[in-house]
Amino acid sequence: MEPTTPPVKETKAQRAERLKREQNPWEGLDQIREYCKGGFEAIPPVWRNTYLRWWGVYTQGDGLGVTGGKGGEGNADPYFMLRIRMPLGMRMRSMK
C-alpha cells in the first residue's frame, strides 16, 4: 500500500487564477447587476471576495479579523467601496 499525500492547500493567488479560468471577469457584469437587485446578502461570498474585486469593488470592514474574522480575513460590513486608479497619482483641480 502506498502512502497517500495530503491535499495541497490552495493559496489566495492560486484560487484567484482558478476562478478566472472558471469565469471571465468581463462576462460577469450581468450577474453583478442581478446581485445588486437582491442586496448584499444576495451576493455569494466568492463574488464578494474575488469577482467584485476584479472590478475594483471591495467590501468595507477591518480586513484583519479584529471584528470576528479568522486567518487574516475580517468580517465585512454590508457596504462597498470603489477603488479607482489615478495615473501617477495625478488629479484634476476639481478633485480637491
Side-chain angles (χ1 to χ4, degrees):
M1 219 179 190
E2 292 183 31
T4 59
T5 57
V8 178
K9 186 174 179 186
E10 187 176 52
T11 66
K12 287 183 181 181
Q14 290 169 330
R15 179 178 177 269
E17 292 304 316
R18 177 180 52 81
L19 291 172
K20 284 181 194 175
R21 286 190 304 270
E22 291 176 7
Q23 175 164 352
N24 182 330
W26 290 105
E27 295 172 357
L29 185 57
D30 289 332
Q31 284 180 280
I32 291 173
R33 289 180 177 137
E34 288 300 314
Y35 291 140
C36 288
K37 293 175 187 175
F40 186 83
E41 294 301 322
I43 305 170
V46 70
W47 276 84
R48 286 194 302 250
N49 299 329
T50 306
Y51 291 120
L52 290 179
R53 291 180 181 185
W54 296 339
W55 288 87
V57 178
Y58 291 76
T59 55
Q60 292 185 354
D62 63 11
L64 301 173
V66 175
T67 60
K70 293 182 181 180
E73 294 292 329
N75 286 343
D77 293 329
Y79 303 101
F80 294 97
M81 65 178 177
L82 177 65
R83 291 192 173 175
I84 58 171
R85 294 180 189 251
M86 299 177 73
L88 303 174
M90 300 176 80
R91 61 184 181 164
M92 299 182 300
R93 289 181 193 207
S94 63
M95 297 174 71
K96 291 181 181 182

